[in-house]
Amino acid sequence: MSDTQAQSRLGPYRLVRKIGEGGMGVVHLGIDVEGREVAIKVLHPHVAADLKARDRLTREVETMRRVRSPYVAEVVDAELVGGQPYVVTRFAPGRTLEDIVLGSGPLEPRQLIKLVNGLCQALVAIHAAEVVHRDFKPSNVMLVADEPLVIDFGIAHLVNATRLTQTGMFVGTPGYLAPEIIRDSEITQAADVHALASTVFFAAVGAPPFGTGTFEAVCFNIMEGRAQLDKAPAWLRGWLSRALQVDPARRPSAHELLRTARQLDPTVTTFHESTFQSTTPNGTKRLPVSETYSDLLPPVSYAKAAPPPPVVDKPPPYVPAPVQARPSVPPPRADQRVAGYPAPHQPQARPYTPPAPPAERRRYLVGSQVIGMLLLVTLVALTVMMPVVVGAIAVAVALVLRVGEYLFGDLVSRRQIRGSSAADPLLAVVGTPWALVKATAVTALHVPLSILFGVCVWGVLRWGGGMSINEAAAYAAGAFTLGLFVLPGGGAPRKAVTRTLTGVLRSPGAALIGIVIVGTAALFAVLFAMSQDPTWAPWKAPETVIRQLTRSAQDSVFGVLTGLVNDLLHSTGLGFLSPWS
């Protein structure tokens, strides 16, 4: 069992189960700190030790971030420098095109039209970002609600980027490679057009366009342009023939491919052979579909060809062949490696399980949220016991948590957009002054709101509950501390606590232990707060302060009045009557 399978967390993500495996790594279903489902691709240990493989993973992240399309899975996060490099992408609750076709047969014309248009739009977005995917194939296309989603840029590269493959070696799945990749010549975006057409052929027919068999035989058919187009629906053959040209210059661009894809009509069953070129760029004769390849093959005995099926307005439904009549050659693997380490053994894929409802997914946040609530209860109880000291500490804690959330919350948001970077520590240092200024300003506005909340609680308890001045003031101080975190504007400190606890609590057992410990402390704090008299040091008790202020006010008023009377008597010549003379 791998380290990733044995552990329950990877960075800030909780691993749920393995959902796929290929030559590059293992894909897990994970849960992020917000309770959302994500797909986490982790390199195999032997691949992670290869610097070129890590470089390829870095390139995957950089290329996927440049592509923006609803038909392409976007990158959410990445960690490329740790002991276990991984990439986090949006989780697609669906099945791969390969699984669907191998399990249920070729797609119906309506589904096929939707697939072709979606893939072409994805290719337009990919090429607009100056990216070459290089690995279009059925296993890298998910179908989510009948809409295609292109995944796995594991061997993609930027246009004009340095190639990482060695001379005479290439990476990819042979049945869906373009001829120029096999020849190790210049690779352009036209290679993706060829691979996309091969993927569409598989969806329409249920088999690769250049047949199955040995690696050499498949590669020979690709380089000679021997696509089995006669097996494809008649209305699709002309579109496929243009995209599967041997010469990359003769293939349409992604925009042209999309334009012609929107003109496809399954009701048109006439196949125009003029769409084929009579010769290839190297002078090789290009055979129309109606001819055979018998003159190019060694002399063997062929069985009499069966008459072609009659042309109908609608293709007949797919009927699977009997088990005993199916060929013994296994279907191509989902991720076949040509160079480098051999792919690990791939167990039988698990059946697709629909994603859990949101209420169930959020169970992973319950532990940290409960502990955060218990910590707040403890802080409020301590404030009731020591209103002045703990109240000041609560203001400082809220300020520190708000600074941390402004600083590291923004850092997490940046990582979700562009992944981790060596400049992140520098950005954190540079952003600290601004986060401190922002947090101080917000706290300065939030503290008066909490004070007003505490005064309202004091009035209710003093005049409505009949409490003494000191007792009502102690509970009002607790309400002030509570307001720092629950009133509008207190979301940042709460998020900071939840984020910190989620990173600390690595398992459900740890969360349970934390709940027991913090819950016990909160219980004792509440009991002490209800049974002990509050300590007002370093200030005096509110009742004493109010009595002193009242006496001072009375003395001041009496002095003013007596002075006025004394001056009046003296001004009228009756000063001898004044008792204060």
Side-chain angles (χ1 to χ4, degrees), residues 426-468:
L426 178 61
L427 293 175
V429 173
V430 173
T432 299
W434 167 243
L436 182 59
V437 171
K438 182 180 178 181
T440 302
V442 174
T443 303
L445 295 175
H446 197 246
V447 167
L449 180 63
S450 299
I451 293 177
L452 181 61
F453 178 62
V455 170
C456 294
V457 171
W458 180 84
V460 171
L461 296 178
R462 176 75 177 98
W463 307 110
M467 287 187 179
S468 64

Side-chain angles (χ1 to χ4, degrees), residues 239-391:
W239 185 86
L240 290 172
S241 67
R242 294 189 60 199
L244 293 176
Q245 290 289 319
V246 176
D247 185 0
R250 295 188 177 182
R251 298 175 203 150
S253 65
H255 284 282
E256 178 67 14
L257 199 67
L258 175 61
R259 186 186 65 81
T260 55
R262 289 171 174 168
Q263 299 174 358
L264 291 176
D265 187 357
T267 62
V268 179
T269 58
T270 302
F271 176 52
H272 300 285
E273 295 183 5
S274 60
T275 56
F276 282 94
Q277 302 292 332
S278 60
T279 60
T280 59
N282 57 10
T284 305
K285 184 175 183 295
R286 187 63 179 270
L287 300 178
V289 177
S290 59
E291 299 185 19
T292 66
Y293 303 129
S294 59
D295 59 333
L296 302 178
L297 300 175
V300 293
S301 299
Y302 293 93
K304 184 178 181 180
V311 177
V312 294
D313 291 339
K314 185 177 182 181
Y318 170 75
V319 179
V323 177
Q324 62 273 14
R326 294 180 180 175
S328 60
V329 180
R333 287 216 308 260
D335 190 353
Q336 182 173 355
R337 291 175 57 83
V338 179
Y341 293 97
H345 172 69
Q346 298 185 10
Q348 184 177 2
R350 298 180 181 179
Y352 168 71
T353 303
E360 183 179 351
R361 291 201 303 267
R362 294 190 62 84
R363 72 182 184 276
Y364 298 101
L365 293 175
V366 169
S368 59
Q369 291 176 341
V370 170
I371 292 180
M373 180 186 68
L374 293 175
L375 287 174
L376 181 58
V377 170
T378 304
L379 185 61
V380 170
L382 292 176
T383 307
V384 173
M385 288 189 289
M386 296 179 289
V388 179
V389 175
V390 180

Side-chain angles (χ1 to χ4, degrees), residues 201-224:
F201 182 97
F202 175 84
V205 177
F210 299 98
T212 57
T214 64
F215 171 79
E216 292 78 6
V218 173
C219 289
F220 176 79
N221 289 337
I222 294 175
M223 290 188 293
E224 291 296 317

Side-chain angles (χ1 to χ4, degrees), residues 16 51 66 84 90 148 157 203 209 213 237 242 257 279 282 295 322 325 355 376 387 414 444-445 463 465 485 527 534:
V16 179
L51 295 180
R66 298 179 60 172
Q84 285 186 313
R90 173 169 63 93
H157 71 278
R237 294 176 191 171
R242 294 189 60 199
L257 199 67
T279 60
N282 57 10
D295 59 333
L376 181 58
R414 288 195 299 269
L445 295 175
W463 307 110
F485 297 90
L527 293 178

Side-chain angles (χ1 to χ4, degrees), residues 143-220:
L143 287 185
V144 183
D146 287 339
E147 294 288 352
L149 183 70
V150 178
I151 62 174
D152 198 352
F153 280 64
I155 60 174
H157 71 278
L158 297 177
V159 174
N160 299 324
T162 302
R163 295 188 59 189
L164 298 184
T165 53
Q166 301 175 5
T167 302
M169 302 177 66
F170 55 87
V171 185
T173 304
Y176 303 93
L177 292 175
E180 57 267 27
I181 297 181
I182 299 176
R183 294 193 181 99
D184 196 29
S185 57
E186 181 183 5
I187 301 173
T188 64
Q189 294 177 339
D192 286 343
V193 174
H194 191 282
L196 185 149
S198 299
T199 301
V200 171
F201 182 97
F202 175 84
V205 177
F210 299 98
T212 57
T214 64
F215 171 79
E216 292 78 6
V218 173
C219 289
F220 176 79

